[in-house]
């Protein structure tokens, strides 16, 4: 007798394969790229805002009045007018002058001196919109009062 054939041939089991590893480095690289782009965009926005602020501030006009009062009839007054130093001599007081100050650094300078024979006091003032922001007084012959500083009232 012959051996009977089994009804089904023996089945081979497929080999067990480990699960496929997902590549994580493309996602890490994408994350780094997104963070880098966000940082660059944020820095660009901050720099742009700062540049606009400086540009706007440099165009802003401050209306300044220089004022000198006192007893002298022979005062010498030195002041900054639109970036140029100007001097008025043998001035009878009171005296005033108006100017507009622009630029990034809104700095003013006013120096008032009594004449040689002036024995009283001399006072300088820098006013912005009618309000004195810098005041100084000196007394005696040849005395000088100096009013200098920033008028940036922003």
């Amino acid at each position: 007798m012959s051996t009977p054939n089994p009804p089904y041939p023996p089945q081979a089991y497929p080999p067990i394969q480990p699960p496929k590893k997902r590549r994580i480095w493309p996602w890490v690289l994408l994350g780094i790229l997104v963070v880098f782009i966000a940082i660059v965009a944020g820095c660009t926005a901050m720099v742009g805002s700062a540049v606009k602020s400086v540009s706007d501030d440099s165009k802003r006009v401050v209306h300044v009045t220089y004022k000198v009062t006192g007893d002298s009839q022979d005062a010498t007054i030195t002041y900054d007018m639109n970036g140029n130093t100007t001097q008025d001599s043998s001035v009878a007081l009171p005296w005033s002058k108006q100017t507009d100050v622009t630029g990034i650094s809104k700095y003013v300078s006013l120096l008032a001196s009594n004449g040689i024979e002036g024995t009283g006091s001399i006072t300088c003032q820098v006013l912005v919109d009618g309000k004195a922001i810098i005041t100084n007084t000196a007394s005696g012959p040849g005395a000088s009062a100096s009013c200098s500083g920033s008028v940036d009232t922003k």
Side-chain angles (χ1 to χ4, degrees):
M1 194 171 163
S2 78
T3 56
N5 286 339
Y8 300 103
Q11 296 287 327
Y13 291 105
I16 298 177
Q17 295 184 1
K20 274 190 162 180
K21 288 185 180 179
R22 292 186 179 186
R23 292 189 174 144
I24 195 165
W25 67 266
W27 295 106
V28 171
L29 188 60
L30 180 63
I32 291 171
L33 183 63
V34 166
V35 168
F36 178 75
I37 290 172
I39 290 172
V40 169
C43 289
T44 302
M46 286 175 39
V47 169
S49 175
V51 167
K52 183 181 179 333
S53 175
V54 169
S55 176
D56 290 348
D57 192 46
S58 69
K59 294 174 187 171
R60 192 171 52 81
V61 177
V62 176
H63 304 289
V64 173
T65 301
Y66 294 130
K67 187 175 179 183
V68 179
T69 57
D71 305 325
S72 180
Q73 296 302 312
D74 187 29
T76 301
I77 302 170
T78 307
Y79 54 98
D80 181 61
M81 186 66 99
N82 301 321
N84 298 314
T85 301
T86 304
Q87 186 173 52
D88 293 349
S89 299
S90 301
V91 175
L93 301 180
W95 171 95
S96 69
K97 194 73 83 166
Q98 293 182 341
T99 187
D100 291 333
V101 180
T102 59
I104 294 173
S105 174
K106 293 173 180 49
Y107 188 82
V108 295
S109 177
L110 171 63
L111 177 66
S113 300
N114 261 342
I116 299 294
E117 296 183 21
T119 57
S121 65
I122 190 165
T123 300
C124 66
Q125 287 186 314
V126 176
L127 296 94
V128 174
D129 296 326
K131 180 182 174 189
I133 61 167
I134 305 170
T135 302
N136 197 358
T137 301
S139 298
S144 294
S146 175
C147 293
S148 300
S150 174
V151 292
D152 196 1
T153 58
K154 179 180 171 186

